[in-house]
Amino acid sequence: MDTIIADSADVSDEAEIGSGTRVWHLAQVRENARVGRSCIVGRGAYIGEGVVVGDRCKIQNYALVYEPAVLEDGVFIGPAVTLTNDHFPRAINADGSLKDASDWEPVGVRVCTGASVGARSVCVAPVTIGRWATVAAGAVVTKDVPDYALVAGVPARRIGWVGPAGVPLVKDDVDESTFVCPLTGERFVEESGQTLRPVR
């Protein structure tokens, strides 16, 4: 599949765009960003300098992915999501001078394989969103999210578990520490009420 970059998109000559990726209208991909194969970068999305995006990711319209974010393979970033990069934001220094790049150290958000970050949610760096986790629309993530966790609210808290199919898992009728995907039948075991692992 050919790479498609809309005429109105602003893609740096120093960015790497993988085969089969589509970059739509008014999107911006900055210098040294690496976007993998078969990705979608939606209208008006922003990919910051040096950001790394894996294969088969979807970054929806008007999402803001600030450096030094890392998105692993198969990540979904919903419309108008913001991944921040400044833990202590200020426009000016204590002496009143305008801050520039040398006055602060960017910190990033990592979104692990298969995870989804819902529309208009904000991930406040530095945080990691675990594998196959789901951040509900409008959530504000201020702490790391475990693998398979479903989090919602402000600040985001875990309200359940999800599997790779993306639907909430349900408790097994017999064993309360076991959860089952209603779509695939895949089974998972909860450990100490804090983590989840698939049953192999």
Side-chain angles (χ1 to χ4, degrees), residues 85-105:
N85 68 351
D86 192 347
H87 200 51
F88 303 106
R90 284 286 190 264
I92 58 174
N93 294 302
D95 64 4
S97 62
L98 184 66
K99 276 187 179 256
D100 63 26
S102 65
D103 291 319
W104 64 289
E105 186 70 32

Side-chain angles (χ1 to χ4, degrees), residues 177-192:
S177 68
T178 299
F179 288 77
V180 181
C181 176
L183 289 183
T184 67
E186 188 175 5
R187 300 172 72 80
F188 302 81
V189 174
E190 185 180 65
E191 298 176 328
S192 304

Side-chain angles (χ1 to χ4, degrees), residues 68-138:
V70 174
L71 312 184
E72 296 181 2
D73 293 344
V75 163
F76 176 87
I77 302 294
V81 163
T82 301
L83 306 185
T84 74
N85 68 351
D86 192 347
H87 200 51
F88 303 106
R90 284 286 190 264
I92 58 174
N93 294 302
D95 64 4
S97 62
L98 184 66
K99 276 187 179 256
D100 63 26
S102 65
D103 291 319
W104 64 289
E105 186 70 32
V107 290
V109 174
R110 175 176 286 271
V111 185
C112 298
T113 300
S116 296
V117 182
R120 291 197 178 277
S121 55
V122 177
C123 296
V124 181
V127 292
T128 296
I129 311 299
R131 296 174 63 251
W132 302 109
T134 296
V135 176

Side-chain angles (χ1 to χ4, degrees), residues 129-178:
I129 311 299
R131 296 174 63 251
W132 302 109
T134 296
V135 176
V140 177
V141 179
T142 59
K143 296 180 180 177
D144 290 350
V145 175
D147 294 351
Y148 305 107
L150 170 61
V151 300
V154 180
R157 299 193 187 322
R158 190 178 68 78
I159 60 170
W161 298 109
V162 292
V167 297
L169 303 179
V170 295
K171 278 188 179 180
D172 183 80
D173 291 336
V174 177
D175 182 358
E176 287 198 351
S177 68
T178 299

